Amino acid sequence: MSIIYENNSLIEYFRPRGKIVCVGDAVSSELRLLNEFLNSKTESRIPLLLLAPSTLPTDSCDQAVIFDSEKMLSQVQFLLNSYFIFFVFNSSEIGIFQILGSILASIEFSDSIPLFFDTGPGLKTQQINFFGPCYFHFDFSSENNRKKFKILLDSLITSLNPNSGLGISFPDLIQIFGNSKILLEGIAYSTDLDEALQDAITTVGDHLVNIFPEEFEKLQIIFISVISSRPISLHSMNKITKKLISTFGKEIEIRFTNAINSEVQEYNVSLILTDFNPVNSILPRYSGFDELIEIQQKTPCSNNHDKKNPPDNEYSEEEERFNVLSRIFSTSEVYIFDDSGLPLFASHKPAGQEVCLYTGLFSAIQSMSSDLIGHTPDFLSAGDKQCVFLSQAGPSDIQLRGVAVCAIGQESVAKSTLLFSMNLVKKYLEKGEPEYAINDKIQGLLVSGYKSGALEGFFQITDFHAS
């Protein structure tokens, strides 16, 4: 499989983003809990695998494999093929540490990011150090711990493939959890959002007291997930962001995701403070945003006009650019702007209108809708068209907003293309590009990628569900 990856990096997009792997014979109650939990999922559901040294009931998982823990697991390595592997085990089981050791040896060179969830009484410090910072302990003898386990798992699974509300990019998730040197988590829930946030912050603060100064210096980024029955407002998002900045400092980057789950009756908050690592140092074969940046560096962008060319040629280049963009964004028009209405990206040239007027109108629609219904809408209908909205907090407290205009029935594809475009805008802002230059940069990047063949069917490739 690795040979295929090396010859055609785009095949990486078809690799499952996440799998839950229960390990051992003492995970019957965990399997029941996970099966019930996953049954409530639709698009964000990921596979559930059981690896056990003896026979267990298998009706509560997608696949079960009996293995000899004394041997390497190369014969089942393909079953563990995934970007993220969530290992669930009970530390009370005799020999479980050795079993996990042989499993880890089998995926050592598979470019997978393992996270470990111990549902038993806990391991010894030396054993925990073997697993690294991505070891989470939830003693299932406590119902409170069971709930916190589900909250963290829900946050991570939803973030793997965000499909509603505010989300983070998949490369962000890799950078947050891959090659982590130190990771501090706080998990809380409450009917009051401020209370849940404060409880999570307090837990992380308690962890901070016990770390060394050199470890504190490595902390660079916060992953925060809020799962609620309805979207939280932009006002609440800004309030949370400001509280995190005032608590942990302006130097800390924040990755915020708000997932919607109608079955959740409270605000479920997961807060993780950790270090930040480049994608290519974690997954060398990963083909994500950095590959598109390479396209721009190798291919001249169409916005680099020759000053000696007459205006007619420049006009034709602009028309050619929007012609190519209309092929890339064949099912929707995408516009992204900051909170003031300044256009940061436009996939189409509005007929007879300036883009700034268009984005200003969308900004006004969002603000009015937020005032009327209490939160920014997911979409609005206008005749036979749908306006799909997305809001995210960018670097330096810049509030980014986006809209995708599509035909009714194309909302899912519109969300995917809008999220992809928003991530491009955020990446350029993080790299220090001035706002006025981002539109030309991204348009040139996409046009160059399309002409080189790298973007052919790109959105169809990236719009997949983990399975």
Side-chain angles (χ1 to χ4, degrees):
M1 199 66 176
S2 62
I3 296 176
I4 298 177
Y5 291 158
E6 291 168 5
N7 292 338
N8 183 5
S9 60
L10 285 179
I11 200 70
E12 287 280 295
Y13 282 113
F14 294 103
R15 189 182 187 193
R17 295 193 172 191
K19 288 185 178 181
I20 301 175
V21 181
C22 288
V23 182
D25 286 333
V27 289
S28 297
S29 63
E30 288 83 349
L31 281 170
R32 287 193 296 271
L33 182 149
L34 287 167
N35 191 52
E36 180 182 347
F37 168 76
L38 291 172
N39 283 342
S40 66
K41 301 296 177 184
T42 52
E43 294 182 350
S44 62
R45 189 191 191 280
I46 64 176
L48 175 59
L49 174 67
L50 169 65
L51 295 181
S54 61
T55 305
L56 273 177
T58 60
D59 56 349
S60 57
C61 61
D62 298 312
Q63 193 165 13
V65 176
I66 298 176
F67 68 94
D68 182 352
S69 62
E70 298 299 322
K71 298 178 181 178
M72 296 290 284
L73 295 181
S74 57
Q75 68 271 29
V76 296
Q77 183 176 343
F78 70 97
L79 294 173
L80 301 178
N81 177 43
S82 176
Y83 283 111
F84 284 88
I85 306 178
F86 304 104
F87 289 108
V88 179
F89 64 96
N90 192 319
S91 54
S92 66
E93 182 173 349
I94 298 175
I96 190 65
F97 183 74
Q98 288 74 19
I99 293 173
L100 288 166
S102 63
I103 292 176
L104 287 181
S106 75
I107 66 167
E108 183 177 358
F109 304 106
S110 64
D111 280 350
S112 294
I113 300 174
L115 281 74
F116 306 94
F117 298 86
D118 180 1
T119 62
L123 295 171
K124 297 178 181 179
T125 302
Q126 186 176 1
Q127 294 173 322
I128 294 175
N129 292 338
F130 174 78
F131 293 117
C134 291
Y135 168 88
F136 302 95
H137 182 212
F138 299 95
D139 189 342
F140 269 26
S141 62
S142 165
E143 184 60 35
N144 182 51
N145 286 336
R146 287 173 173 259
K147 184 161 185 175
K148 288 186 176 181
F149 165 77
K150 288 194 291 184
I151 290 174
L152 179 58
L153 193 61
D154 197 8
S155 299
L156 297 175
I157 290 176
T158 304
S159 298
L160 286 176
N161 209 4
N163 52 66
S164 63
L166 187 70
I168 66 172
S169 70
F170 184 57
D172 281 341
L173 208 62
I174 293 173
Q175 290 177 293
I176 291 169
F177 292 97
N179 290 352
S180 296
K181 304 299 186 297
I182 181 171
L183 187 151
L184 311 174
E185 88 279 2
I187 303 163
Y189 55 91
S190 173
T191 54
D192 181 77
L193 178 57
D194 291 337
E195 180 180 337
L197 177 65
Q198 185 57 54
D199 288 346
I201 290 176
T202 300
T203 303
V204 172
D206 292 341
H207 293 319
L208 281 172
V209 174
N210 299 317
I211 69 172
F212 296 108
E214 58 269 22
E215 292 178 316
F216 180 81
E217 293 176 359
K218 296 177 182 177
L219 298 171
Q220 299 168 291
I221 192 166
I222 290 174
F223 164 78
I224 178 167
S225 166
V226 178
I227 299 177
S228 51
S229 59
R230 53 183 297 182
I232 60 177
S233 66
L234 284 176
H235 174 73
S236 295
M237 293 180 195
N238 289 331
K239 186 177 178 182
I240 290 173
T241 300
K242 290 179 180 179
K243 187 174 183 62
L244 293 175
I245 290 174
S246 65
T247 303
F248 298 103
K250 294 182 179 180
E251 296 78 14
I252 296 290
E253 294 188 43
I254 299 173
R255 295 294 185 271
F256 198 143
T257 176
N258 175 214
I260 312 307
N261 186 341
S262 59
E263 297 182 359
V264 172
Q265 303 301 316
E266 300 165 308
Y267 291 100
N268 294 339
V269 176
S270 297
L271 180 64
I272 293 177
L273 181 61
T274 183
D275 51 342
F276 202 52
N277 300 282
V279 172
N280 57 9
S281 71
I282 303 167
L283 305 178
R285 294 193 299 267
Y286 179 74
S287 58
F289 174 80
D290 291 339
E291 182 177 84
L292 294 181
I293 294 299
E294 289 177 8
I295 294 172
Q296 185 191 35
Q297 294 171 343
K298 295 177 182 178
T299 309
C301 295
S302 61
N303 65 301
N304 294 330
H305 302 307
D306 184 350
K307 296 300 181 181
K308 296 181 181 180
N309 286 344
D312 287 345
N313 286 351
E314 292 189 0
Y315 177 77
S316 64
E317 287 183 9
E318 182 183 8
E319 290 301 308
E320 180 188 4
R321 172 185 290 204
F322 279 109
N323 183 34
V324 173
L325 288 169
S326 67
R327 297 177 203 168
I328 299 174
F329 297 85
S330 58
T331 59
S332 60
E333 297 182 26
V334 173
Y335 303 95
I336 295 173
F337 44 96
D338 66 14
D339 201 36
S340 64
L342 176 67
L344 302 177
F345 172 70
S347 67
H348 289 65
K349 185 177 182 179
Q353 298 288 340
E354 292 292 336
V355 173
C356 59
L357 295 178
Y358 233 50
T359 54
L361 175 62
F362 288 129
S363 181
I365 291 174
Q366 281 190 293
S367 298
M368 180 184 68
S369 301
S370 180
D371 292 339
L372 290 175
I373 61 180
H375 63 84
T376 301
D378 292 326
F379 64 86
L380 292 175
S381 299
D384 61 344
K385 299 290 185 181
Q386 292 276 36
C387 293
V388 181
F389 294 101
L390 177 65
S391 297
Q392 289 193 10
S396 303
D397 295 330
I398 296 175
Q399 184 63 44
L400 304 178
R401 296 186 177 187
V403 63
V405 183
C406 64
I408 292 177
Q410 295 291 325
E411 294 85 0
S412 178
V413 178
K415 285 182 180 180
S416 176
T417 55
L418 180 56
L419 181 60
F420 169 80
S421 303
M422 181 74 82
N423 289 334
L424 286 178
V425 170
K426 286 177 63 178
K427 291 293 184 181
Y428 273 107
L429 287 172
E430 289 166 358
K431 288 178 179 289
E433 290 287 350
E435 293 185 34
Y436 65 82
I438 288 178
N439 184 56
D440 281 348
K441 292 271 188 180
I442 295 180
Q443 286 184 351
L445 166 68
L446 294 174
V447 170
S448 298
Y450 183 86
K451 288 181 176 180
S452 70
L455 288 183
E456 184 176 358
F458 185 80
F459 293 123
Q460 286 74 23
I461 291 175
T462 57
D463 184 28
F464 71 94
H465 306 310
S467 60

mmCIF file of all heavy atoms in Angstrom, residues 450-466:
data_model
loop_
_atom_site.group_PDB
_atom_site.id
_atom_site.type_symbol
_atom_site.label_atom_id
_atom_site.label_comp_id
_atom_site.label_asym_id
_atom_site.label_seq_id
_atom_site.Cartn_x
_atom_site.Cartn_y
_atom_site.Cartn_z
ATOM 1 N N TYR A 450 -5.459 23.655 -11.173
ATOM 2 C CA TYR A 450 -6.410 23.072 -12.128
ATOM 3 C C TYR A 450 -5.725 22.789 -13.467
ATOM 4 O O TYR A 450 -5.894 21.726 -14.062
ATOM 5 C CB TYR A 450 -7.589 24.015 -12.332
ATOM 6 C CG TYR A 450 -8.672 23.463 -13.242
ATOM 7 C CD1 TYR A 450 -9.679 22.649 -12.738
ATOM 8 C CD2 TYR A 450 -8.681 23.757 -14.602
ATOM 9 C CE1 TYR A 450 -10.672 22.145 -13.560
ATOM 10 C CE2 TYR A 450 -9.662 23.252 -15.434
ATOM 11 C CZ TYR A 450 -10.657 22.450 -14.913
ATOM 12 O OH TYR A 450 -11.619 21.939 -15.744
ATOM 13 N N LYS A 451 -4.933 23.751 -13.938
ATOM 14 C CA LYS A 451 -4.258 23.594 -15.225
ATOM 15 C C LYS A 451 -3.219 22.481 -15.195
ATOM 16 O O LYS A 451 -2.963 21.829 -16.216
ATOM 17 C CB LYS A 451 -3.594 24.915 -15.628
ATOM 18 C CG LYS A 451 -4.584 25.995 -16.047
ATOM 19 C CD LYS A 451 -3.867 27.274 -16.471
ATOM 20 C CE LYS A 451 -4.858 28.307 -16.970
ATOM 21 N NZ LYS A 451 -4.188 29.565 -17.388
ATOM 22 N N SER A 452 -2.617 22.257 -14.017
ATOM 23 C CA SER A 452 -1.619 21.197 -13.906
ATOM 24 C C SER A 452 -2.250 19.825 -13.692
ATOM 25 O O SER A 452 -1.561 18.817 -13.670
ATOM 26 C CB SER A 452 -0.665 21.502 -12.753
ATOM 27 O OG SER A 452 -1.325 21.373 -11.506
ATOM 28 N N GLY A 453 -3.573 19.795 -13.489
ATOM 29 C CA GLY A 453 -4.273 18.531 -13.295
ATOM 30 C C GLY A 453 -4.392 18.094 -11.857
ATOM 31 O O GLY A 453 -5.033 17.095 -11.555
ATOM 32 N N ALA A 454 -3.790 18.838 -10.914
ATOM 33 C CA ALA A 454 -3.806 18.433 -9.508
ATOM 34 C C ALA A 454 -5.165 18.625 -8.860
ATOM 35 O O ALA A 454 -5.466 18.007 -7.847
ATOM 36 C CB ALA A 454 -2.757 19.216 -8.726
ATOM 37 N N LEU A 455 -6.004 19.498 -9.428
ATOM 38 C CA LEU A 455 -7.308 19.781 -8.816
ATOM 39 C C LEU A 455 -8.455 19.124 -9.563
ATOM 40 O O LEU A 455 -9.605 19.392 -9.278
ATOM 41 C CB LEU A 455 -7.554 21.295 -8.768
ATOM 42 C CG LEU A 455 -6.725 22.070 -7.752
ATOM 43 C CD1 LEU A 455 -7.117 23.534 -7.769
ATOM 44 C CD2 LEU A 455 -6.900 21.516 -6.366
ATOM 45 N N GLU A 456 -8.162 18.275 -10.500
ATOM 46 C CA GLU A 456 -9.237 17.633 -11.242
ATOM 47 C C GLU A 456 -10.044 16.739 -10.310
ATOM 48 O O GLU A 456 -9.532 15.805 -9.710
ATOM 49 C CB GLU A 456 -8.669 16.794 -12.393
ATOM 50 C CG GLU A 456 -9.745 16.178 -13.271
ATOM 51 C CD GLU A 456 -9.151 15.427 -14.446
ATOM 52 O OE1 GLU A 456 -7.926 15.423 -14.596
ATOM 53 O OE2 GLU A 456 -9.931 14.830 -15.205
ATOM 54 N N GLY A 457 -11.328 17.040 -10.163
ATOM 55 C CA GLY A 457 -12.178 16.288 -9.244
ATOM 56 C C GLY A 457 -11.774 16.430 -7.793
ATOM 57 O O GLY A 457 -12.084 15.590 -6.969
ATOM 58 N N PHE A 458 -11.083 17.528 -7.462
ATOM 59 C CA PHE A 458 -10.507 17.655 -6.114
ATOM 60 C C PHE A 458 -11.570 17.650 -5.023
ATOM 61 O O PHE A 458 -11.455 16.958 -4.032
ATOM 62 C CB PHE A 458 -9.676 18.936 -6.032
ATOM 63 C CG PHE A 458 -8.951 19.094 -4.726
ATOM 64 C CD1 PHE A 458 -7.775 18.423 -4.503
ATOM 65 C CD2 PHE A 458 -9.458 19.892 -3.717
ATOM 66 C CE1 PHE A 458 -7.091 18.561 -3.304
ATOM 67 C CE2 PHE A 458 -8.786 20.033 -2.524
ATOM 68 C CZ PHE A 458 -7.602 19.363 -2.324
ATOM 69 N N PHE A 459 -12.646 18.428 -5.229
ATOM 70 C CA PHE A 459 -13.653 18.522 -4.171
ATOM 71 C C PHE A 459 -14.421 17.217 -4.018
ATOM 72 O O PHE A 459 -14.863 16.869 -2.940
ATOM 73 C CB PHE A 459 -14.619 19.673 -4.470
ATOM 74 C CG PHE A 459 -13.949 21.020 -4.380
ATOM 75 C CD1 PHE A 459 -13.952 21.881 -5.450
ATOM 76 C CD2 PHE A 459 -13.292 21.393 -3.232
ATOM 77 C CE1 PHE A 459 -13.328 23.104 -5.372
ATOM 78 C CE2 PHE A 459 -12.667 22.618 -3.140
ATOM 79 C CZ PHE A 459 -12.677 23.476 -4.220
ATOM 80 N N GLN A 460 -14.581 16.480 -5.102
ATOM 81 C CA GLN A 460 -15.224 15.182 -4.982
ATOM 82 C C GLN A 460 -14.347 14.224 -4.181
ATOM 83 O O GLN A 460 -14.825 13.410 -3.414
ATOM 84 C CB GLN A 460 -15.495 14.587 -6.382
ATOM 85 C CG GLN A 460 -16.645 15.255 -7.116
ATOM 86 C CD GLN A 460 -16.277 16.638 -7.634
ATOM 87 O OE1 GLN A 460 -15.116 16.935 -7.833
ATOM 88 N NE2 GLN A 460 -17.266 17.483 -7.837
ATOM 89 N N ILE A 461 -13.011 14.352 -4.327
ATOM 90 C CA ILE A 461 -12.091 13.490 -3.593
ATOM 91 C C ILE A 461 -12.100 13.811 -2.107
ATOM 92 O O ILE A 461 -12.144 12.943 -1.265
ATOM 93 C CB ILE A 461 -10.657 13.636 -4.155
ATOM 94 C CG1 ILE A 461 -10.594 13.038 -5.568
ATOM 95 C CG2 ILE A 461 -9.631 12.924 -3.268
ATOM 96 C CD1 ILE A 461 -9.261 13.245 -6.255
ATOM 97 N N THR A 462 -12.094 15.115 -1.786
ATOM 98 C CA THR A 462 -11.988 15.494 -0.384
ATOM 99 C C THR A 462 -13.318 15.372 0.354
ATOM 100 O O THR A 462 -13.340 15.330 1.569
ATOM 101 C CB THR A 462 -11.486 16.942 -0.248
ATOM 102 O OG1 THR A 462 -12.371 17.817 -0.949
ATOM 103 C CG2 THR A 462 -10.097 17.080 -0.795
ATOM 104 N N ASP A 463 -14.421 15.295 -0.355
ATOM 105 C CA ASP A 463 -15.736 15.227 0.291
ATOM 106 C C ASP A 463 -16.119 13.775 0.503
ATOM 107 O O ASP A 463 -17.002 13.239 -0.144
ATOM 108 C CB ASP A 463 -16.782 15.944 -0.560
ATOM 109 C CG ASP A 463 -18.137 15.974 0.139
ATOM 110 O OD1 ASP A 463 -18.156 15.961 1.383
ATOM 111 O OD2 ASP A 463 -19.158 16.000 -0.568
ATOM 112 N N PHE A 464 -15.397 13.053 1.408
ATOM 113 C CA PHE A 464 -15.697 11.672 1.677
ATOM 114 C C PHE A 464 -15.922 11.482 3.162
ATOM 115 O O PHE A 464 -15.560 12.323 3.963
ATOM 116 C CB PHE A 464 -14.567 10.750 1.195
ATOM 117 C CG PHE A 464 -13.307 10.857 2.021
ATOM 118 C CD1 PHE A 464 -13.082 9.995 3.065
ATOM 119 C CD2 PHE A 464 -12.376 11.835 1.749
ATOM 120 C CE1 PHE A 464 -11.928 10.097 3.823
ATOM 121 C CE2 PHE A 464 -11.217 11.943 2.511
ATOM 122 C CZ PHE A 464 -11.007 11.070 3.547
ATOM 123 N N HIS A 465 -16.501 10.360 3.496
ATOM 124 C CA HIS A 465 -16.780 10.070 4.897
ATOM 125 C C HIS A 465 -15.820 8.982 5.375
ATOM 126 O O HIS A 465 -15.522 8.032 4.654
ATOM 127 C CB HIS A 465 -18.222 9.585 5.082
ATOM 128 C CG HIS A 465 -19.223 10.516 4.526
ATOM 129 N ND1 HIS A 465 -19.226 11.865 4.818
ATOM 130 C CD2 HIS A 465 -20.250 10.329 3.662
ATOM 131 C CE1 HIS A 465 -20.228 12.463 4.181
ATOM 132 N NE2 HIS A 465 -20.841 11.543 3.476
ATOM 133 N N ALA A 466 -15.318 9.111 6.586
ATOM 134 C CA ALA A 466 -14.431 8.090 7.133
ATOM 135 C C ALA A 466 -15.174 6.784 7.282
ATOM 136 O O ALA A 466 -16.274 6.735 7.819
ATOM 137 C CB ALA A 466 -13.891 8.547 8.499
#
